Amino acid sequence: PCPSGSFSGVLGATSNNTCTPCRAGWFAGEGAGFCSACPAGSTSEPGASACTLCEAGTWSDEVGTCMPCPMGTYSAALGAASSATCTPCREGMFAGVRASGSCEFCPAGSWSFDGVRCVALLLPCAAFGALLAAALCLFARCLQLPRRWAEQFGMGQMLDN
């Protein structure tokens, strides 16, 4: 019989020479005549005898590879079977890389409008504390001020992350 992670389509084969490894996203037990697809939310390496759950920050709704959540989103779920589990980060938090399992708070004195990067607050009144700075950012966001206008008047500067 073929070892785990491989199959043989040859009926009555007496040698392992007819065994073929399962491809990525598929698995087989010992002596299998075919490979089975990993269920949604899981994947496998080539030649696998079992599937593994997609890690936090990734998802898979079909056979193959676990796909990363885009920047600015996160998923804490293991074995996510849909891109709908990728949740946008709240304002003031960010996920600057793909496949994030969580969002991080922006450093003190900065804020995130898009969930991808933090913007430094360069307001004269920022010294009054993070609460006032956050309130001003929310006010600017509510007015939908264009980013270039906000930066021109000293309301923001991109941070290197």
Side-chain angles (χ1 to χ4, degrees), residues 20-36:
T20 304
C22 298
R23 64 180 194 250
W26 296 75
F27 70 100
E30 185 177 349
F34 58 91
C35 295
S36 299

Side-chain angles (χ1 to χ4, degrees), residues 78-106:
L78 293 175
S82 166
S83 63
T85 61
C86 300
T87 307
C89 296
R90 295 186 335 221
E91 285 195 12
M93 300 181 82
F94 73 104
V97 296
R98 295 173 6 143
S100 291
S102 64
C103 295
E104 298 178 41
F105 284 101
C106 288

Side-chain angles (χ1 to χ4, degrees), residues 22-72:
C22 298
R23 64 180 194 250
W26 296 75
F27 70 100
E30 185 177 349
F34 58 91
C35 295
S36 299
C38 290
S42 65
T43 190
S44 70
E45 296 293 324
S49 60
C51 300
T52 56
L53 293 177
C54 291
E55 295 181 9
T58 66
W59 59 275
S60 172
D61 62 356
E62 57 186 51
V63 176
T65 306
C66 296
M67 303 298 295
C69 289
M71 289 192 323

Side-chain angles (χ1 to χ4, degrees), residues 85-157:
T85 61
C86 300
T87 307
C89 296
R90 295 186 335 221
E91 285 195 12
M93 300 181 82
F94 73 104
V97 296
R98 295 173 6 143
S100 291
S102 64
C103 295
E104 298 178 41
F105 284 101
C106 288
S110 64
W111 193 257
S112 178
F113 295 101
D114 61 6
V116 176
R117 64 190 59 83
C118 297
V119 177
L121 302 175
L122 300 177
L123 300 173
C125 56
F128 292 118
L131 185 59
L132 177 59
L136 289 171
C137 282
L138 288 173
F139 177 74
R141 176 71 170 165
C142 289
L143 293 178
Q144 298 293 315
L145 297 176
R147 187 176 303 276
R148 269 185 279 154
W149 185 86
E151 289 177 357
Q152 181 179 2
F153 288 95
M155 291 180 68
Q157 171 183 349

